[in-house]
Amino acid sequence: MGGDPDIEMITVPSGQVTLSDRRTRRSWRVGVAPLRLAAFPVTQACYAEVTGERPSAVHGDRLPVEGVSWWDAVRFCNALSRRAGLTPAYEVRPDAGTADWDTTADGDRLPTEAEWEHACRAGGTGPRYGPLDDIAWYRGNSDGADPVDGKEPNARGLHDMLGNVRDWCWDLYDPEVYGTYRVPRGGGWSDEHWSCRASVRRRSHPMFRIDDVGFRVAPA
């Protein structure tokens, strides 16, 4: 991945993860291939360098970009890919209200939620990868977005997988019930402690811009 030197990449080995949904009381096992994932959520400095925009409510180069929709995240991935001379991963089809993922493309993309949870857990089986106050900015210790390197990483070296900003993932939440709603993962700075757990699934409309939702990239 050659889009921006500000994006440090972590290699995550293959494995399996069990996803679960509290609403439907359903669980399912997913195999995950090896991947690379950004060590931090995309920062405001990186987002501004690639797009020329600073959408966040409070500005700071090392703060995570927030107030970005799922569509904004997809378009960022494509712009980052073009910047590096790579083939964009997504064909954006706004008229149809969707985007198609070209899995053969070598460009940057969003992680799937299975990849995200597998990376977050870092081989562990508990709800979190450490004591919450040590690893996450959440309602109990924060009143806004904080620098992306301010808390301890998980065993893989990934920061802010829980807390600070939730990460948009590629997946639809439940298309039969919620249509185009997508999945953000990880809990944010305004979330209660119970929401900052590796297994928690949330949903949001892909056009919504929320002040504790950002994203990180997973290059091909």
Side-chain angles (χ1 to χ4, degrees), residues 122-208:
T125 58
R128 304 182 181 98
Y129 49 85
L132 186 58
D133 281 308
D134 293 343
I135 65 171
W137 297 110
Y138 69 107
R139 184 172 294 189
N141 62 13
S142 179
D143 59 2
D146 291 276
V148 296
D149 52 2
K151 290 293 184 179
E152 294 178 6
N154 71 5
R156 305 280 188 221
L158 296 162
H159 291 258
D160 288 351
M161 293 299 285
L162 300 177
N164 211 358
V165 289
R166 284 174 272 155
D167 292 332
W168 282 114
C169 294
W170 165 254
D171 307 67
L172 292 165
Y173 176 77
D174 183 344
E176 292 185 2
V177 178
Y178 290 96
T180 61
Y181 275 50
R182 298 282 172 165
V183 176
R185 285 296 211 110
W189 62 263
S190 66
D191 280 316
E192 297 285 0
H193 63 91
W194 62 265
S195 190
C196 295
R197 305 194 319 272
S199 62
V200 172
R201 300 182 79 223
R202 302 288 288 273
R203 61 184 180 270
S204 185
H205 192 281
M207 292 183 67
F208 287 175

Side-chain angles (χ1 to χ4, degrees), residues 70-83:
W70 182 87
W71 282 109
D72 294 330
V74 162
R75 292 188 179 102
F76 174 90
C77 289
N78 280 354
L80 189 64
S81 300
R82 293 188 185 99
R83 175 186 172 96

